[in-house]
Amino acid sequence: SDVYKRQYQRRVHGIQRFQIHGASSVSKTARKLLLAANWKSHGSISTISNLVNNVLNKTVFDPKKIDFLVQPPSIYLPLVLNLLTNKGIQICAQNHSYYGTGAYTGEVAAVQLKDMGIKWSMVGHSERKSYFNETNEIVANKTKLGVEQGLNICLLYTSDAADEGLG
Protein backbone atom coordinates (compact mmCIF):
# COMPACT_ATOMS: atom_id res chain seq x y z
CA SER A 1 0.00 0.00 0.00
CA ASP A 2 1.04 3.63 -0.38
CA VAL A 3 1.10 4.11 3.41
CA TYR A 4 3.43 1.13 3.87
CA LYS A 5 5.61 2.29 0.98
CA ARG A 6 5.99 5.77 2.49
CA GLN A 7 6.72 4.29 5.92
CA TYR A 8 9.24 1.90 4.36
CA GLN A 9 10.90 4.73 2.46
CA ARG A 10 11.25 6.82 5.63
CA ARG A 11 12.84 4.05 7.68
CA VAL A 12 15.02 2.07 5.30
CA HIS A 13 18.59 3.10 4.55
CA GLY A 14 20.66 1.23 1.98
CA ILE A 15 24.38 0.67 1.80
CA GLN A 16 26.04 -0.35 -1.44
CA ARG A 17 29.79 -0.36 -2.01
CA PHE A 18 30.29 2.25 0.74
CA GLN A 19 27.89 4.68 -0.95
CA ILE A 20 25.21 5.86 1.38
CA HIS A 21 21.69 6.10 0.00
CA GLY A 22 19.03 7.81 2.11
CA ALA A 23 15.42 6.83 1.79
CA SER A 24 14.12 7.84 -1.62
CA SER A 25 11.65 10.33 -0.12
CA VAL A 26 14.49 12.40 1.36
CA SER A 27 16.11 15.13 -0.72
CA LYS A 28 19.85 14.92 -1.39
CA THR A 29 20.55 18.00 0.71
CA ALA A 30 18.75 16.49 3.71
CA ARG A 31 20.56 13.14 3.64
CA LYS A 32 22.70 12.14 6.56
CA LEU A 33 25.73 9.93 6.38
CA LEU A 34 25.11 6.49 7.88
CA LEU A 35 28.14 5.05 9.65
CA ALA A 36 27.51 1.49 10.81
CA ALA A 37 30.16 -0.46 12.72
CA ASN A 38 29.35 -4.19 12.59
CA TRP A 39 31.27 -6.04 15.30
CA LYS A 40 30.24 -9.40 13.82
CA SER A 41 30.94 -12.19 16.36
CA HIS A 42 33.89 -10.42 17.97
CA GLY A 43 34.35 -9.20 21.49
CA SER A 44 34.06 -10.15 25.13
CA ILE A 45 32.64 -8.39 28.18
CA SER A 46 36.09 -6.94 28.84
CA THR A 47 36.93 -5.76 25.32
CA ILE A 48 33.45 -4.35 24.65
CA SER A 49 33.37 -2.54 28.00
CA ASN A 50 36.76 -1.03 27.23
CA LEU A 51 35.68 0.03 23.72
CA VAL A 52 32.43 1.62 24.91
CA ASN A 53 33.91 3.39 27.95
CA ASN A 54 37.20 4.54 26.46
CA VAL A 55 36.33 5.14 22.80
CA LEU A 56 32.63 5.38 21.99
CA ASN A 57 31.59 7.43 25.02
CA LYS A 58 34.38 9.91 24.18
CA THR A 59 33.69 10.10 20.43
CA VAL A 60 32.66 13.55 19.22
CA PHE A 61 30.73 14.06 15.97
CA ASP A 62 27.72 15.96 14.66
CA PRO A 63 24.64 13.70 14.97
CA LYS A 64 22.74 16.11 12.69
CA LYS A 65 25.07 15.02 9.88
CA ILE A 66 25.79 11.39 10.81
CA ASP A 67 23.69 8.46 12.00
CA PHE A 68 26.35 6.47 13.89
CA LEU A 69 25.35 2.86 14.56
CA VAL A 70 27.24 0.22 16.51
CA GLN A 71 26.29 -3.41 15.96
CA PRO A 72 27.53 -5.65 18.76
CA PRO A 73 26.77 -9.37 18.84
CA SER A 74 23.24 -9.86 20.18
CA ILE A 75 24.45 -11.41 23.44
CA TYR A 76 26.20 -8.09 24.24
CA LEU A 77 23.31 -5.75 23.36
CA PRO A 78 22.28 -5.31 27.04
CA LEU A 79 25.88 -4.58 28.04
CA VAL A 80 26.26 -1.88 25.39
CA LEU A 81 22.83 -0.43 26.25
CA ASN A 82 23.93 -0.10 29.88
CA LEU A 83 27.40 1.32 29.20
CA LEU A 84 26.83 3.65 26.26
CA THR A 85 26.38 7.25 27.46
CA ASN A 86 27.11 8.95 24.13
CA LYS A 87 23.54 9.74 23.06
CA GLY A 88 24.66 10.41 19.48
CA ILE A 89 25.58 6.76 18.95
CA GLN A 90 22.72 4.35 18.33
CA ILE A 91 22.71 0.60 18.83
CA CYS A 92 21.72 -1.62 15.92
CA ALA A 93 21.00 -5.33 16.10
CA GLN A 94 22.92 -7.39 13.55
CA ASN A 95 19.78 -9.32 12.66
CA HIS A 96 16.24 -10.09 13.72
CA SER A 97 14.06 -13.11 13.23
CA TYR A 98 11.97 -13.79 10.16
CA TYR A 99 9.25 -14.70 12.64
CA GLY A 100 7.57 -12.91 15.50
CA THR A 101 7.70 -14.29 19.01
CA GLY A 102 7.08 -17.97 19.54
CA ALA A 103 8.82 -21.33 19.49
CA TYR A 104 11.83 -20.25 17.41
CA THR A 105 14.83 -21.39 19.42
CA GLY A 106 17.79 -19.04 19.19
CA GLU A 107 15.92 -16.31 17.33
CA VAL A 108 15.44 -12.72 18.50
CA ALA A 109 12.17 -11.15 17.41
CA ALA A 110 11.98 -7.53 16.20
CA VAL A 111 9.41 -6.77 18.91
CA GLN A 112 11.88 -8.03 21.55
CA LEU A 113 14.60 -5.74 20.21
CA LYS A 114 12.20 -2.81 20.34
CA ASP A 115 11.16 -3.78 23.88
CA MET A 116 14.82 -3.76 24.92
CA GLY A 117 15.30 -0.24 23.59
CA ILE A 118 17.01 -1.13 20.32
CA LYS A 119 15.82 1.16 17.52
CA TRP A 120 17.72 -0.31 14.56
CA SER A 121 18.22 -3.72 12.98
CA MET A 122 20.34 -4.75 10.02
CA VAL A 123 19.00 -7.10 7.37
CA GLY A 124 20.34 -8.36 4.06
CA HIS A 125 23.98 -8.92 5.02
CA SER A 126 25.86 -11.00 2.45
CA GLU A 127 27.02 -13.38 5.18
CA ARG A 128 23.39 -14.10 6.13
CA LYS A 129 22.65 -14.74 2.47
CA SER A 130 25.60 -17.06 1.89
CA TYR A 131 25.85 -18.90 5.24
CA PHE A 132 22.15 -19.05 6.14
CA ASN A 133 20.67 -19.07 2.62
CA GLU A 134 18.63 -15.92 3.17
CA THR A 135 16.95 -14.96 -0.08
CA ASN A 136 15.82 -11.51 -1.18
CA GLU A 137 12.28 -12.62 -0.31
CA ILE A 138 13.35 -13.44 3.25
CA VAL A 139 15.18 -10.10 3.50
CA ALA A 140 12.08 -8.27 2.24
CA ASN A 141 9.86 -10.06 4.78
CA LYS A 142 12.30 -9.37 7.63
CA THR A 143 12.41 -5.72 6.57
CA LYS A 144 8.61 -5.51 6.54
CA LEU A 145 8.36 -7.17 9.96
CA GLY A 146 10.99 -4.86 11.45
CA VAL A 147 9.31 -1.74 10.09
CA GLU A 148 5.92 -2.93 11.34
CA GLN A 149 7.45 -3.33 14.81
CA GLY A 150 8.82 0.23 14.70
CA LEU A 151 12.48 -0.52 13.98
CA ASN A 152 14.64 1.49 11.64
CA ILE A 153 16.18 -0.89 9.14
CA CYS A 154 19.78 -0.81 7.97
CA LEU A 155 19.25 -2.64 4.68
CA LEU A 156 22.32 -4.00 2.97
CA TYR A 157 22.05 -5.05 -0.61
CA THR A 158 24.24 -6.06 -3.51
CA SER A 159 24.14 -4.75 -7.05
CA ASP A 160 22.17 -7.93 -7.92
CA ALA A 161 19.46 -6.88 -5.47
CA ALA A 162 19.48 -3.36 -6.92
CA ASP A 163 19.01 -4.84 -10.39
CA GLU A 164 15.96 -6.73 -9.07
CA GLY A 165 14.44 -3.47 -7.85
CA LEU A 166 15.24 -3.97 -4.17
CA GLY A 167 17.91 -1.28 -3.95
Side-chain angles (χ1 to χ4, degrees):
S1 76
D2 287 340
V3 173
Y4 172 73
K5 186 176 181 182
R6 283 193 301 274
Q7 182 180 26
Y8 175 84
Q9 289 173 334
R10 281 195 303 270
R11 291 197 176 150
V12 176
H13 290 74
I15 300 175
Q16 181 181 22
R17 293 191 213 119
F18 302 105
Q19 294 176 337
I20 307 302
H21 301 276
S24 61
S25 63
V26 179
S27 72
K28 285 189 176 195
T29 57
R31 288 185 184 175
K32 291 171 68 173
L33 180 66
L34 176 64
L35 175 61
N38 183 354
W39 301 355
K40 301 191 179 272
S41 288
H42 297 291
S44 64
I45 292 173
S46 175
T47 60
I48 289 174
S49 297
N50 185 44
L51 176 66
V52 172
N53 290 324
N54 297 312
V55 178
L56 296 178
N57 285 340
K58 297 176 182 180
T59 300
V60 178
F61 64 97
D62 186 350
K64 292 177 185 171
K65 295 181 180 177
I66 300 172
D67 279 328
F68 187 167
L69 309 178
V70 293
Q71 299 169 293
S74 60
I75 194 163
Y76 297 120
L77 288 171
L79 175 67
V80 177
L81 277 167
N82 287 327
L83 294 177
L84 188 64
T85 59
N86 187 333
K87 299 303 179 196
I89 298 175
Q90 301 175 68
I91 301 169
C92 178
Q94 293 180 11
N95 185 41
H96 66 265
S97 177
Y98 178 81
Y99 309 98
T101 57
Y104 307 106
T105 302
E107 293 294 307
V108 178
V111 68
Q112 292 170 320
L113 292 170
K114 186 74 173 177
D115 184 51
M116 181 183 270
I118 302 297
K119 296 178 181 163
W120 286 84
S121 183
M122 176 175 62
V123 297
H125 197 286
S126 62
E127 291 169 1
R128 300 284 315 170
K129 288 181 175 184
S130 63
Y131 302 150
F132 299 99
N133 300 312
E134 287 190 358
T135 64
N136 288 336
E137 181 180 355
I138 290 171
V139 171
N141 287 336
K142 287 170 72 171
T143 300
K144 182 178 184 290
L145 181 63
V147 169
E148 288 172 353
Q149 294 301 322
L151 292 175
N152 295 302
I153 300 297
C154 180
L155 175 64
L156 285 76
Y157 60 91
T158 63
S159 57
D160 290 345
D163 292 341
E164 293 174 22
L166 299 176

Coordinates of all heavy atoms in Angstrom, one line a residue, residues 85-163:
T85 N 26.9 6.0 27.0 CA 26.4 7.2 27.5 C 26.4 8.3 26.4 O 25.8 9.3 26.5 CB 27.2 7.8 28.7 OG1 28.5 7.9 28.3 CG2 27.1 6.8 29.9
N86 N 27.1 8.0 25.3 CA 27.1 9.0 24.1 C 25.8 8.8 23.4 O 25.5 7.9 22.6 CB 28.3 8.6 23.2 CG 28.5 9.6 22.1 OD1 27.6 10.3 21.7 ND2 29.7 9.7 21.6
K87 N 24.9 9.8 23.6 CA 23.5 9.7 23.1 C 23.5 9.9 21.5 O 22.5 9.6 20.9 CB 22.6 10.8 23.7 CG 22.5 10.6 25.2 CD 22.0 9.2 25.6 CE 21.8 9.1 27.0 NZ 21.7 7.7 27.5
G88 N 24.6 10.3 20.9 CA 24.7 10.4 19.5 C 24.8 9.1 18.8 O 24.6 8.9 17.6
I89 N 25.3 8.1 19.5 CA 25.6 6.8 19.0 C 24.4 5.9 19.2 O 23.9 5.8 20.4 CB 26.9 6.1 19.5 CG1 28.1 7.0 19.2 CG2 27.0 4.7 19.0 CD1 29.4 6.6 19.8
Q90 N 23.9 5.2 18.2 CA 22.7 4.4 18.3 C 23.1 2.9 18.2 O 24.1 2.6 17.5 CB 21.7 4.7 17.2 CG 21.2 6.1 17.3 CD 20.3 6.5 16.2 OE1 19.2 6.0 16.1 NE2 20.8 7.3 15.3
I91 N 22.4 2.0 18.8 CA 22.7 0.6 18.8 C 21.8 -0.1 17.8 O 20.6 0.2 17.8 CB 22.5 0.0 20.2 CG1 23.4 0.7 21.2 CG2 22.8 -1.5 20.2 CD1 23.1 0.4 22.7
C92 N 22.4 -0.9 17.0 CA 21.7 -1.6 15.9 C 21.9 -3.1 16.1 O 23.1 -3.6 16.2 CB 22.3 -1.1 14.6 SG 21.5 -2.0 13.1
A93 N 20.9 -3.9 16.1 CA 21.0 -5.3 16.1 C 21.6 -5.8 14.8 O 21.3 -5.2 13.7 CB 19.7 -6.0 16.4
Q94 N 22.3 -6.8 14.8 CA 22.9 -7.4 13.5 C 21.9 -8.2 12.7 O 22.1 -8.4 11.6 CB 24.1 -8.3 13.9 CG 25.3 -7.6 14.4 CD 26.4 -8.5 14.7 OE1 26.4 -9.7 14.3 NE2 27.4 -8.0 15.5
N95 N 20.8 -8.5 13.3 CA 19.8 -9.3 12.7 C 18.5 -9.4 13.5 O 18.6 -9.1 14.7 CB 20.3 -10.7 12.5 CG 19.4 -11.6 11.7 OD1 18.8 -11.3 10.7 ND2 19.3 -12.9 12.1
H96 N 17.4 -9.7 12.9 CA 16.2 -10.1 13.7 C 15.5 -11.2 13.0 O 15.7 -11.4 11.8 CB 15.3 -8.9 14.0 CG 14.6 -8.3 12.8 ND1 15.2 -7.2 12.1 CD2 13.5 -8.7 12.1 CE1 14.4 -6.9 11.1 NE2 13.4 -7.8 11.1
S97 N 14.7 -11.9 13.7 CA 14.1 -13.1 13.2 C 13.1 -12.8 12.1 O 12.5 -11.8 12.0 CB 13.3 -13.8 14.4 OG 12.6 -14.9 13.9
Y98 N 13.0 -13.8 11.2 CA 12.0 -13.8 10.2 C 10.6 -13.9 10.7 O 9.6 -13.6 10.1 CB 12.3 -15.0 9.2 CG 11.4 -15.2 8.1 CD1 11.5 -14.4 6.9 CD2 10.4 -16.2 8.1 CE1 10.6 -14.6 5.8 CE2 9.5 -16.4 7.0 CZ 9.7 -15.6 5.9 OH 8.8 -15.8 4.8
Y99 N 10.5 -14.4 12.0 CA 9.2 -14.7 12.6 C 9.0 -13.7 13.8 O 9.9 -13.0 14.2 CB 9.3 -16.1 13.2 CG 9.7 -17.2 12.2 CD1 11.0 -17.6 12.2 CD2 8.7 -17.7 11.3 CE1 11.3 -18.6 11.3 CE2 9.1 -18.6 10.4 CZ 10.4 -19.1 10.4 OH 10.8 -20.0 9.4
G100 N 7.8 -13.7 14.3 CA 7.6 -12.9 15.5 C 8.0 -13.7 16.7 O 8.9 -14.6 16.6
T101 N 7.4 -13.5 17.8 CA 7.7 -14.3 19.0 C 7.1 -15.7 18.9 O 6.1 -15.9 18.1 CB 7.2 -13.6 20.3 OG1 5.8 -13.4 20.1 CG2 7.9 -12.3 20.5
G102 N 7.6 -16.6 19.6 CA 7.1 -18.0 19.5 C 8.2 -19.0 19.7 O 9.3 -18.7 20.2
A103 N 7.9 -20.2 19.3 CA 8.8 -21.3 19.5 C 9.9 -21.4 18.4 O 9.9 -22.2 17.5 CB 8.0 -22.6 19.5
Y104 N 10.8 -20.4 18.4 CA 11.8 -20.2 17.4 C 13.2 -20.2 18.1 O 13.8 -19.1 18.3 CB 11.6 -19.0 16.5 CG 10.2 -19.0 15.9 CD1 9.2 -18.1 16.4 CD2 9.9 -19.9 14.9 CE1 8.0 -18.2 15.8 CE2 8.6 -19.9 14.4 CZ 7.7 -19.0 14.8 OH 6.4 -19.1 14.3
T105 N 13.6 -21.3 18.6 CA 14.8 -21.4 19.4 C 16.0 -20.6 18.8 O 16.3 -20.8 17.6 CB 15.2 -22.9 19.6 OG1 14.1 -23.5 20.2 CG2 16.5 -23.0 20.5
G106 N 16.6 -19.8 19.6 CA 17.8 -19.0 19.2 C 17.5 -17.8 18.4 O 18.4 -17.0 18.2
E107 N 16.3 -17.5 18.1 CA 15.9 -16.3 17.3 C 15.6 -15.1 18.3 O 15.2 -15.3 19.4 CB 14.7 -16.6 16.4 CG 15.0 -17.6 15.3 CD 16.0 -17.0 14.3 OE1 15.8 -15.9 13.8 OE2 17.0 -17.7 14.0
V108 N 15.8 -13.9 17.8 CA 15.4 -12.7 18.5 C 14.4 -12.0 17.6 O 14.7 -11.6 16.5 CB 16.7 -11.8 18.8 CG1 16.3 -10.6 19.5 CG2 17.7 -12.6 19.6
A109 N 13.2 -11.8 18.2 CA 12.2 -11.1 17.4 C 12.4 -9.6 17.4 O 12.9 -9.0 18.3 CB 10.8 -11.5 18.0
A110 N 11.9 -9.0 16.3 CA 12.0 -7.5 16.2 C 11.3 -6.9 17.4 O 11.8 -5.9 17.9 CB 11.4 -7.1 14.9
V111 N 10.1 -7.4 17.8 CA 9.4 -6.8 18.9 C 10.2 -6.9 20.2 O 10.1 -6.0 21.1 CB 8.0 -7.4 19.1 CG1 8.1 -8.8 19.5 CG2 7.1 -6.6 20.0
Q112 N 11.0 -7.9 20.4 CA 11.9 -8.0 21.5 C 13.0 -7.0 21.5 O 13.4 -6.4 22.6 CB 12.4 -9.4 21.6 CG 11.4 -10.5 21.9 CD 11.9 -11.9 21.8 OE1 12.7 -12.2 20.8 NE2 11.5 -12.8 22.7
L113 N 13.6 -6.8 20.3 CA 14.6 -5.7 20.2 C 14.0 -4.4 20.6 O 14.6 -3.6 21.3 CB 15.2 -5.7 18.8 CG 16.0 -6.9 18.4 CD1 16.3 -6.9 16.9 CD2 17.3 -7.0 19.2
K114 N 12.9 -4.1 20.0 CA 12.2 -2.8 20.3 C 11.9 -2.7 21.8 O 12.1 -1.6 22.4 CB 10.9 -2.7 19.5 CG 10.2 -1.4 19.6 CD 10.9 -0.3 18.8 CE 10.1 0.9 18.8 NZ 10.7 2.0 18.2
D115 N 11.5 -3.8 22.4 CA 11.2 -3.8 23.9 C 12.4 -3.5 24.7 O 12.4 -2.9 25.8 CB 10.5 -5.1 24.3 CG 10.1 -5.2 25.7 OD1 9.4 -4.3 26.2 OD2 10.5 -6.2 26.4
M116 N 13.6 -4.0 24.2 CA 14.8 -3.8 24.9 C 15.3 -2.3 24.8 O 16.2 -1.9 25.5 CB 15.8 -4.8 24.4 CG 17.2 -4.7 25.0 SD 18.4 -5.8 24.2 CE 18.1 -7.2 25.2
G117 N 14.8 -1.6 23.8 CA 15.3 -0.2 23.6 C 16.1 -0.1 22.3 O 16.7 1.0 22.1
I118 N 16.3 -1.2 21.6 CA 17.0 -1.1 20.3 C 16.1 -0.5 19.3 O 14.9 -0.9 19.1 CB 17.4 -2.6 19.9 CG1 18.3 -3.2 21.0 CG2 18.2 -2.5 18.5 CD1 19.6 -2.6 21.3
K119 N 16.6 0.5 18.5 CA 15.8 1.2 17.5 C 16.2 0.8 16.1 O 15.5 1.2 15.2 CB 16.0 2.7 17.7 CG 15.5 3.1 19.0 CD 15.7 4.6 19.2 CE 15.2 5.0 20.6 NZ 15.6 6.3 21.1
W120 N 17.3 0.1 15.9 CA 17.7 -0.3 14.6 C 18.0 -1.8 14.5 O 18.4 -2.4 15.4 CB 19.0 0.4 14.2 CG 19.0 1.9 14.0 CD1 18.9 2.9 14.9 CD2 18.9 2.5 12.7 NE1 18.9 4.1 14.2 CE2 18.9 3.9 12.9 CE3 19.0 2.0 11.4 CZ2 18.9 4.8 11.8 CZ3 19.0 2.9 10.3 CH2 18.9 4.2 10.5
S121 N 17.8 -2.3 13.3 CA 18.2 -3.7 13.0 C 18.7 -3.8 11.5 O 18.2 -3.1 10.7 CB 17.0 -4.7 13.1 OG 17.5 -6.0 12.9
M122 N 19.8 -4.6 11.3 CA 20.3 -4.8 10.0 C 19.8 -6.0 9.4 O 19.6 -7.0 10.1 CB 21.9 -4.9 10.1 CG 22.6 -5.2 8.8 SD 24.4 -5.2 9.0 CE 24.6 -6.6 10.1
V123 N 19.4 -5.9 8.1 CA 19.0 -7.1 7.4 C 19.7 -7.1 6.0 O 20.1 -6.0 5.5 CB 17.5 -7.2 7.2 CG1 16.8 -7.3 8.5 CG2 16.9 -6.0 6.4
G124 N 19.8 -8.3 5.4 CA 20.3 -8.4 4.1 C 21.8 -8.5 4.0 O 22.4 -8.4 2.9
H125 N 22.5 -8.8 5.1 CA 24.0 -8.9 5.0 C 24.4 -10.1 4.1 O 23.7 -11.2 4.2 CB 24.6 -9.1 6.4 CG 26.0 -8.8 6.5 ND1 26.9 -9.7 6.0 CD2 26.7 -7.8 7.0 CE1 28.2 -9.2 6.2 NE2 28.0 -8.0 6.8
S126 N 25.4 -9.9 3.4 CA 25.9 -11.0 2.4 C 26.2 -12.3 3.2 O 26.0 -13.4 2.7 CB 27.0 -10.5 1.6 OG 28.1 -10.2 2.5
E127 N 26.7 -12.2 4.4 CA 27.0 -13.4 5.2 C 25.7 -14.2 5.5 O 25.7 -15.4 5.5 CB 27.8 -13.0 6.5 CG 29.2 -12.5 6.2 CD 29.9 -11.9 7.4 OE1 29.3 -11.9 8.5 OE2 31.0 -11.4 7.2
R128 N 24.7 -13.4 5.8 CA 23.4 -14.1 6.1 C 22.9 -14.8 4.9 O 22.3 -15.9 4.9 CB 22.3 -13.1 6.6 CG 22.7 -12.4 7.9 CD 22.5 -13.1 9.1 NE 21.3 -13.9 9.2 CZ 21.1 -14.8 10.2 NH1 22.0 -15.0 11.1 NH2 20.0 -15.5 10.2
K129 N 23.1 -14.2 3.7 CA 22.6 -14.7 2.5 C 23.5 -16.0 2.1 O 22.9 -17.0 1.7 CB 22.7 -13.7 1.3 CG 21.7 -12.6 1.5 CD 21.8 -11.6 0.3 CE 20.6 -10.7 0.4 NZ 20.6 -9.8 -0.7
S130 N 24.8 -15.9 2.3 CA 25.6 -17.1 1.9 C 25.6 -18.2 2.9 O 25.5 -19.3 2.6 CB 27.0 -16.6 1.5 OG 27.7 -16.0 2.7
Y131 N 25.7 -17.9 4.2 CA 25.8 -18.9 5.2 C 24.5 -19.5 5.7 O 24.4 -20.6 6.1 CB 26.6 -18.4 6.5 CG 28.0 -17.8 6.3 CD1 28.5 -16.8 7.1 CD2 28.8 -18.3 5.2 CE1 29.7 -16.3 6.9 CE2 30.0 -17.8 5.0 CZ 30.5 -16.8 5.8 OH 31.8 -16.3 5.7
F132 N 23.5 -18.6 5.6 CA 22.1 -19.1 6.1 C 21.1 -19.1 5.0 O 19.9 -19.2 5.3 CB 21.7 -18.1 7.3 CG 22.6 -18.1 8.4 CD1 23.6 -17.1 8.6 CD2 22.6 -19.2 9.4 CE1 24.5 -17.1 9.7 CE2 23.5 -19.2 10.4 CZ 24.4 -18.2 10.6
N133 N 21.5 -19.0 3.8 CA 20.7 -19.1 2.6 C 19.5 -18.1 2.7 O 18.4 -18.5 2.2 CB 20.2 -20.5 2.4 CG 21.3 -21.5 2.2 OD1 22.2 -21.2 1.4 ND2 21.3 -22.5 3.0
E134 N 19.7 -16.9 3.2 CA 18.6 -15.9 3.2 C 18.5 -15.4 1.8 O 19.4 -14.9 1.2 CB 18.9 -14.8 4.2 CG 18.7 -15.2 5.6 CD 18.8 -14.1 6.6 OE1 19.0 -12.9 6.2 OE2 18.6 -14.4 7.8
T135 N 17.3 -15.4 1.3 CA 17.0 -15.0 -0.1 C 16.5 -13.5 0.0 O 16.2 -13.0 1.1 CB 15.8 -15.8 -0.7 OG1 14.6 -15.6 0.1 CG2 16.2 -17.3 -0.7
N136 N 16.4 -12.9 -1.2 CA 15.8 -11.5 -1.2 C 14.4 -11.5 -0.6 O 14.0 -10.5 0.0 CB 15.9 -10.9 -2.6 CG 17.3 -10.6 -3.0 OD1 18.2 -10.4 -2.2 ND2 17.5 -10.6 -4.3
E137 N 13.6 -12.5 -0.8 CA 12.3 -12.6 -0.3 C 12.3 -12.6 1.2 O 11.5 -12.0 1.9 CB 11.6 -13.9 -0.8 CG 10.1 -14.0 -0.3 CD 9.4 -15.2 -0.8 OE1 10.0 -16.0 -1.7 OE2 8.3 -15.5 -0.4
I138 N 13.2 -13.4 1.8 CA 13.4 -13.4 3.2 C 13.8 -12.1 3.8 O 13.2 -11.6 4.7 CB 14.4 -14.5 3.7 CG1 13.8 -15.9 3.4 CG2 14.8 -14.4 5.1 CD1 14.8 -17.1 3.6
V139 N 14.7 -11.4 3.1 CA 15.2 -10.1 3.5 C 14.0 -9.1 3.4 O 13.8 -8.3 4.4 CB 16.4 -9.6 2.6 CG1 16.7 -8.2 2.9 CG2 17.6 -10.5 2.9
A140 N 13.2 -9.2 2.4 CA 12.1 -8.3 2.2 C 11.1 -8.5 3.4 O 10.5 -7.5 4.0 CB 11.4 -8.5 0.9
N141 N 10.8 -9.8 3.7 CA 9.9 -10.1 4.8 C 10.4 -9.6 6.1 O 9.6 -9.1 7.0 CB 9.5 -11.6 4.8 CG 8.6 -11.9 3.6 OD1 7.9 -11.1 3.1 ND2 8.6 -13.2 3.2
K142 N 11.7 -9.8 6.4 CA 12.3 -9.4 7.6 C 12.3 -7.8 7.7 O 12.0 -7.3 8.8 CB 13.7 -9.9 7.8 CG 13.8 -11.4 8.0 CD 15.2 -11.9 7.9 CE 16.1 -11.5 9.0 NZ 17.4 -12.2 9.0
T143 N 12.5 -7.2 6.6 CA 12.4 -5.7 6.6 C 11.0 -5.3 6.9 O 10.8 -4.4 7.8 CB 12.8 -5.2 5.2 OG1 14.2 -5.6 4.9 CG2 12.7 -3.7 5.1
K144 N 10.0 -5.9 6.3 CA 8.6 -5.5 6.5 C 8.3 -5.7 8.0 O 7.7 -4.9 8.7 CB 7.7 -6.3 5.6 CG 6.2 -6.0 5.8 CD 5.4 -6.9 4.8 CE 4.0 -6.6 4.8 NZ 3.3 -7.0 6.0
L145 N 8.6 -6.9 8.6 CA 8.4 -7.2 10.0 C 9.0 -6.2 10.9 O 8.4 -5.7 11.8 CB 8.8 -8.6 10.3 CG 8.6 -9.1 11.7 CD1 7.1 -9.1 12.0 CD2 9.2 -10.5 11.9
G146 N 10.3 -5.8 10.6 CA 11.0 -4.9 11.4 C 10.3 -3.5 11.4 O 10.2 -2.9 12.5
V147 N 10.0 -3.0 10.2 CA 9.3 -1.7 10.1 C 8.0 -1.7 10.8 O 7.6 -0.8 11.5 CB 9.2 -1.4 8.6 CG1 8.2 -0.1 8.4 CG2 10.5 -1.1 8.0
E148 N 7.2 -2.8 10.7 CA 5.9 -2.9 11.3 C 6.1 -2.9 12.9 O 5.2 -2.4 13.6 CB 5.2 -4.2 10.9 CG 4.7 -4.2 9.5 CD 4.1 -5.6 9.1 OE1 4.3 -6.6 9.8 OE2 3.6 -5.6 8.0
Q149 N 7.2 -3.3 13.4 CA 7.4 -3.3 14.8 C 8.1 -2.0 15.3 O 8.4 -1.9 16.4 CB 8.3 -4.5 15.2 CG 7.7 -5.8 15.0 CD 6.4 -6.0 15.8 OE1 6.2 -5.5 16.9 NE2 5.4 -6.6 15.2
G150 N 8.3 -1.1 14.3 CA 8.8 0.2 14.7 C 10.3 0.4 14.7 O 10.9 1.4 15.1
L151 N 11.0 -0.6 14.1 CA 12.5 -0.5 14.0 C 12.9 0.3 12.7 O 12.2 0.2 11.7 CB 13.1 -1.9 13.9 CG 13.0 -2.8 15.1 CD1 13.6 -4.2 14.8 CD2 13.8 -2.2 16.3
N152 N 14.0 1.0 12.8 CA 14.6 1.5 11.6 C 15.5 0.3 11.1 O 16.1 -0.4 11.8 CB 15.6 2.7 12.0 CG 14.8 3.8 12.5 OD1 13.9 4.4 11.9 ND2 15.1 4.3 13.7
I153 N 15.5 0.2 9.8 CA 16.2 -0.9 9.1 C 17.4 -0.4 8.4 O 17.4 0.5 7.6 CB 15.3 -1.6 8.1 CG1 14.0 -2.2 8.9 CG2 16.0 -2.7 7.4 CD1 14.3 -3.2 9.9
C154 N 18.5 -1.0 8.7 CA 19.8 -0.8 8.0 C 19.8 -2.0 6.9 O 20.1 -3.1 7.3 CB 21.0 -0.9 8.9 SG 22.6 -0.6 8.1
L155 N 19.4 -1.6 5.7 CA 19.3 -2.6 4.7 C 20.5 -2.7 3.8 O 20.9 -1.7 3.2 CB 18.0 -2.3 3.8 CG 17.8 -3.2 2.6 CD1 17.5 -4.6 3.0 CD2 16.6 -2.6 1.8
L156 N 21.1 -3.8 3.8 CA 22.3 -4.0 3.0 C 21.9 -4.8 1.7 O 21.1 -5.7 1.8 CB 23.4 -4.8 3.7 CG 24.1 -4.0 4.8 CD1 23.3 -3.8 6.0 CD2 25.4 -4.6 5.1
Y157 N 22.4 -4.4 0.6 CA 22.1 -5.1 -0.6 C 23.2 -5.0 -1.6 O 24.1 -4.2 -1.5 CB 20.8 -4.5 -1.2 CG 20.9 -3.0 -1.6 CD1 21.3 -2.6 -2.9 CD2 20.5 -2.0 -0.7 CE1 21.4 -1.3 -3.2 CE2 20.6 -0.7 -1.0 CZ 21.0 -0.3 -2.3 OH 21.1 1.0 -2.6
T158 N 23.2 -6.0 -2.5 CA 24.2 -6.1 -3.5 C 23.7 -5.4 -4.8 O 22.5 -5.2 -4.9 CB 24.6 -7.5 -3.8 OG1 23.4 -8.2 -4.3 CG2 25.1 -8.2 -2.5
S159 N 24.6 -5.3 -5.8 CA 24.1 -4.7 -7.1 C 23.1 -5.7 -7.7 O 22.2 -5.2 -8.4 CB 25.3 -4.5 -8.0 OG 26.0 -5.7 -8.2
D160 N 23.2 -7.0 -7.4 CA 22.2 -7.9 -7.9 C 20.8 -7.6 -7.4 O 19.8 -7.6 -8.1 CB 22.5 -9.4 -7.5 CG 23.7 -9.9 -8.3 OD1 24.1 -9.3 -9.3 OD2 24.2 -10.9 -7.8
A161 N 20.7 -7.3 -6.1 CA 19.5 -6.9 -5.5 C 19.0 -5.6 -6.1 O 17.8 -5.4 -6.3 CB 19.6 -6.8 -4.0
A162 N 19.9 -4.6 -6.3 CA 19.5 -3.4 -6.9 C 18.9 -3.6 -8.3 O 17.9 -3.0 -8.7 CB 20.7 -2.4 -7.0
D163 N 19.5 -4.5 -9.1 CA 19.0 -4.8 -10.4 C 17.6 -5.4 -10.3 O 16.8 -5.3 -11.3 CB 20.0 -5.8 -11.1 CG 21.3 -5.2 -11.4 OD1 21.4 -3.9 -11.5 OD2 22.3 -5.9 -11.7

